[in-house]
Amino acid sequence: MTIGTPTRTGTDNGTGTGVGTRTPRPGARIRAARRTACAAALLLAVSAVPTSAVAATAEPSHVEGQLPSGATYLMDVPANWNGTVLLYSHGYTQAGTPNPAQNGPDTATKALLLAEGYALIGSSYASTGWAVTDAVPDQLATLSVFDDRFGAARRTLAWGRSYGGLVTTAIAERHADRIDGSLSLCGLVHGGVANWNNTLDPVFALKTLLAPDSDVPLTGLADQAAATSAADALVTVVDSAQSTAEGRARIALAAALHNIPVWNQPTQTRPAADDWEAQQVNQYDAVKGLLKVAAFNRRQEAEVRAGGNMSWNTGVDYAKLLGQSSVSKKVRELYKKAGLSLKADLATLDRAPRISADPDAVAWMSGTSSFTGELTKPQFSVHTIGDALVPVQTESALRRAVTAAGSGSLLRQANVDNAGHCTFSPAEQLAALHTLEERVTTGRWRGTDAESLNSLAAEADSTTPARYVPYRPTPYLRPYDLAHPADGR
């Protein structure tokens, strides 16, 4: 198998900076030699494996079915199957919406992978919402069905996007014997407890500073109707506050506590570094999106699974968190412009009644959805830097856990210069997969820098953007992992 496909020519597809026709970069010959060596290693590996383990099919196979759990599965195996199966874990599916099986992130990426000879498999999960306790066993069961039908793969790579990145990381930590490596794209790699703590902080600030007399519940939501009502009420408050300089400054403070980037949708204009007002307008849209999507409706569903509230802000120093935020300077500038005292507002947050967690709910979320950082197989984790829903700082939380667990040599991370959640091009996703597969094949990480990844992306698909950049996220503001015992306090 060849890592990457021959370079093609193309034009901008309208999703970002066009790649177009490319000429070889200075390191192209070196990377070509690496791919040749990798292919040779794969050929030797194939010759050492019984032929039944790499079942070639006369025709492409498309298989759909149902697992005993009720989840459905989907498999696509090309006639020229290269012996690698990609186990794809999809993102969060809202209750009451269609929940089909998925075996890839998008049609274009799947087509490229099938053309390269990969087998693609994945399930729907037996339930929607915060479904990790269904998702992990359903994904492993799908892999077993594949093995029974097509023969054991020579190599299995688990990958997933968004919530599927959490599912993939859970598989990587707890079922490493079933896979050879893992790839998380825009994943919730900070884990469940950290996610819900960090989601609580901005809504706590909004309610405390903009609607202190409101009875809007932030946790303990009775049902989805109550969650929708609470979200709508706080969105109305935020909309009203946006009309004043004081309100805009306070919305910016809330956004900073979630590390919401100032460019977070591809449709937005990327603001200048000192255009505080334009930056705040972009964050305002993202704050409303957070309220409508995660802070209430998804929280309510997760609380039902956990058996109570799994997040808290008791003991949190919001002045300290703001100081660590990636967008703290903008907050100070907007407060100054509004003639408002940031110190006074932070003191108001300190005095406000705090929210305690249900210990049993924390234990459930921790046991099912938090990570030890103990990797035994290589993991590659990639994020867009302009992600408001799952901020890029989650990658810092993953690195923190893996480093504490002594698994740092097995983890590599990279970042894409684009706004939005999971807004990767097909080229960028293939480059990440090829990089992971080379690490599995050779036992060494090579080419995880931005230049190498962009070259791999261009070779895989020159018609879509390649936007990897050198980038180091700031620390995650509310980390929680099982490698740090103090996080449980």
Side-chain angles (χ1 to χ4, degrees):
M1 187 200 72
T2 302
I3 301 296
T5 57
T7 302
R8 297 192 285 270
T9 59
T11 56
D12 184 4
N13 72 339
T15 62
T17 303
V19 177
T21 303
R22 294 183 181 266
T23 57
R25 301 192 186 192
R29 284 185 229 172
I30 294 174
R31 282 184 287 277
R34 282 171 42 197
R35 289 194 298 276
T36 300
C38 184
L42 279 171
L43 182 60
L44 288 173
V46 172
S47 66
V49 177
T51 55
S52 60
V54 186
T57 58
E59 298 290 339
S61 297
H62 175 83
V63 181
E64 299 182 21
Q66 188 171 42
L67 299 170
S69 67
T72 56
Y73 60 80
L74 179 63
M75 302 178 182
D76 286 295
V77 183
N80 62 330
W81 180 34
N82 61 28
T84 296
V85 62
L86 303 180
L87 176 65
Y88 180 75
S89 296
H90 68 74
Y92 188 97
T93 302
Q94 189 75 27
T97 59
N99 183 33
Q102 300 179 45
N103 64 352
D106 56 78
T107 301
T109 301
K110 287 173 59 175
L112 290 167
L113 290 170
L114 289 170
E116 291 191 1
Y118 293 97
L120 310 180
I121 69 174
S123 75
S124 64
Y125 318 154
S127 62
T128 55
W130 196 271
V132 64
T133 52
D134 290 324
V136 171
D138 285 339
Q139 290 292 85
L140 297 177
T142 298
L143 182 56
S144 294
V145 172
F146 177 87
D147 291 348
D148 290 343
R149 183 172 185 122
F150 295 99
R154 182 177 62 248
R155 177 176 295 114
T156 299
L157 303 179
W159 67 314
R161 299 206 316 184
S162 190
Y163 186 78
L166 183 145
V167 174
T168 295
T169 304
I171 292 172
E173 284 200 355
R174 298 163 192 170
H175 303 278
D177 60 310
R178 300 294 305 276
I179 64 171
D180 297 288
S182 59
L183 169 65
S184 171
L185 298 166
C186 55
L188 282 74
V189 291
H190 52 324
V193 175
N195 177 76
W196 292 113
N197 276 342
N198 193 229
T199 303
L200 176 63
D201 292 332
V203 294
F204 175 79
L206 290 171
K207 179 181 176 181
T208 301
L209 297 177
L210 299 180
D213 299 323
S214 168
D215 60 356
V216 173
L218 304 185
T219 65
L221 300 152
D223 51 32
Q224 283 290 292
T228 299
S229 177
D232 290 346
L234 208 49
V235 166
T236 298
V237 168
V238 168
D239 280 338
S240 177
Q242 183 66 12
S243 64
T244 69
E246 294 85 354
R248 291 192 292 273
R250 286 168 171 153
I251 292 169
L253 171 57
L257 297 177
H258 194 63
N259 265 321
I260 290 177
V262 298
W263 180 52
N264 53 72
Q265 289 296 328
T267 54
Q268 293 173 342
T269 298
R270 193 169 194 167
D274 59 352
D275 191 343
W276 316 119
E277 292 289 351
Q279 293 177 17
Q280 193 278 335
V281 169
N282 287 353
Q283 286 185 316
Y284 158 65
D285 290 336
V287 166
K288 292 205 298 180
L290 183 69
L291 295 175
K292 293 175 181 177
V293 173
F296 292 98
N297 292 82
R298 292 187 181 180
R299 168 180 286 280
Q300 191 275 334
E301 191 275 339
E303 286 186 352
V304 170
R305 286 183 183 268
N309 171 34
M310 59 280 170
S311 58
W312 67 91
N313 65 353
T314 51
V316 172
D317 183 340
Y318 282 110
K320 181 179 179 181
L321 290 194
L322 178 61
Q324 296 173 336
S325 174
S326 60
V327 287
S328 60
K329 182 176 181 180
K330 174 186 60 62
V331 176
R332 293 192 295 271
E333 293 293 335
L334 289 173
Y335 265 80
K336 186 187 303 182
K337 185 173 182 178
L340 197 61
S341 171
L342 177 57
K343 183 177 179 180
D345 272 2
L346 290 171
T348 297
L349 292 179
D350 281 342
R351 292 192 303 268
R354 298 302 180 94
I355 295 171
S356 300
D358 179 335
D360 289 340
V362 174
W364 184 91
M365 188 61 68
S366 178
T368 63
S369 310
S370 294
F371 301 122
T372 65
E374 296 173 0
L375 296 173
T376 57
K377 303 287 177 63
Q379 182 171 37
F380 196 31
S381 190
V382 181
H383 227 102
T384 50
I385 65 174
D387 189 340
L389 185 62
V390 184
V392 67
Q393 284 74 21
T394 60
E395 299 295 336
S396 295
L398 175 63
R399 168 62 66 182
R400 173 181 184 259
V402 169
T403 300
S407 304
S409 64
L410 290 170
L411 176 70
R412 290 294 184 273
Q413 295 166 294
N415 297 283
V416 168
D417 187 23
N418 198 23
H421 180 53
C422 301
T423 52
F424 303 106
S425 70
E428 290 157 352
Q429 293 173 100
L430 263 68
L433 277 166
H434 291 163
T435 298
L436 172 65
E437 188 163 25
E438 183 181 13
R439 169 61 178 82
V440 171
T441 301
T442 66
R444 296 175 59 191
W445 287 110
R446 292 184 291 187
T448 57
D449 62 285
E451 181 182 4
S452 296
L453 288 165
N454 284 331
S455 292
L456 280 177
E459 292 165 4
D461 177 30
S462 65
T463 67
T464 58
R467 299 161 294 191
Y468 283 96
V469 291
Y471 185 81
R472 186 178 181 86
T474 56
Y476 189 72
L477 298 181
R478 293 287 302 278
Y480 178 100
D481 61 63
L482 303 179
H484 292 83
D487 287 352
R489 291 202 294 267

